Amino acid sequence: LFTKDVTILNFWSTTCGPCVEEMPALAAFAGALPDNVQLLTVCLDGSGNAEDAQRILTEAGYEGLTLVSGDGDFLSLCAAIQYTPTTVFLDSAGVLSEHVIVGGQADLAEAYTAVVNQVLAAGGKDAISLEKD
């Protein structure tokens, strides 16, 4: 799971209006990421609402991986999420960054890229840009 320099986990729920509203921007951001950064979504109520979750993801154009359940540390992390959407950032060793984004963002790509670049800098890696040359 942590084969990239940065892994972004976006926790959301099918019943969370802001989560569903930001999903197209999240899908576009995920599609624009370079190979060394990945974004995964975690649907906190997905195991009981798989059809709703799939519909939301499909309508948004999200083509990445979505997790719906787990155990161990991942289960503990899911249980600690109090608000959705919540986005956390992990380095290549799977260490959780101190930077967490809670709630929808006016400019999702800008906010997420800033945190990704902080995680990359902490690991001695080059910053990313979503700008097309």
Side-chain angles (χ1 to χ4, degrees):
L1 185 63
F2 302 107
T3 60
K4 306 291 184 175
D5 291 333
V6 178
T7 297
I8 304 162
L9 295 177
N10 173 265
F11 293 86
W12 65 287
S13 168
T14 61
T15 58
C16 166
C19 299
V20 174
E21 186 177 306
E22 80 173 5
M23 195 57 69
L26 200 65
F29 177 73
L33 289 171
D35 289 340
N36 66 324
V37 180
Q38 67 180 342
L39 184 144
L40 311 174
T41 70
V42 181
C43 186
L44 294 172
D45 63 350
S47 62
N49 296 309
E51 289 180 13
D52 286 344
Q54 186 59 56
R55 178 187 49 77
I56 291 165
L57 293 164
T58 300
E59 288 176 2
Y62 180 76
E63 297 178 355
L65 180 65
T66 295
L67 307 173
V68 294
S69 64
D71 56 23
D73 289 344
F74 183 70
L75 182 61
S76 297
L77 179 59
C78 289
I81 301 298
Q82 295 182 6
Y83 304 101
T84 55
T86 292
T87 304
V88 300
F89 301 79
L90 301 102
D91 67 16
S92 59
V95 176
L96 204 56
S97 167
E98 64 188 33
H99 305 286
V100 176
I101 295 177
V102 178
Q105 301 299 300
D107 188 334
L108 184 142
E110 181 179 315
Y112 283 31
T113 301
V115 176
V116 166
N117 284 332
Q118 290 174 329
V119 174
L120 288 168
K125 306 281 183 177
D126 291 336
I128 66 164
S129 172
L130 302 183
E131 303 291 318
K132 298 291 184 202
D133 293 332

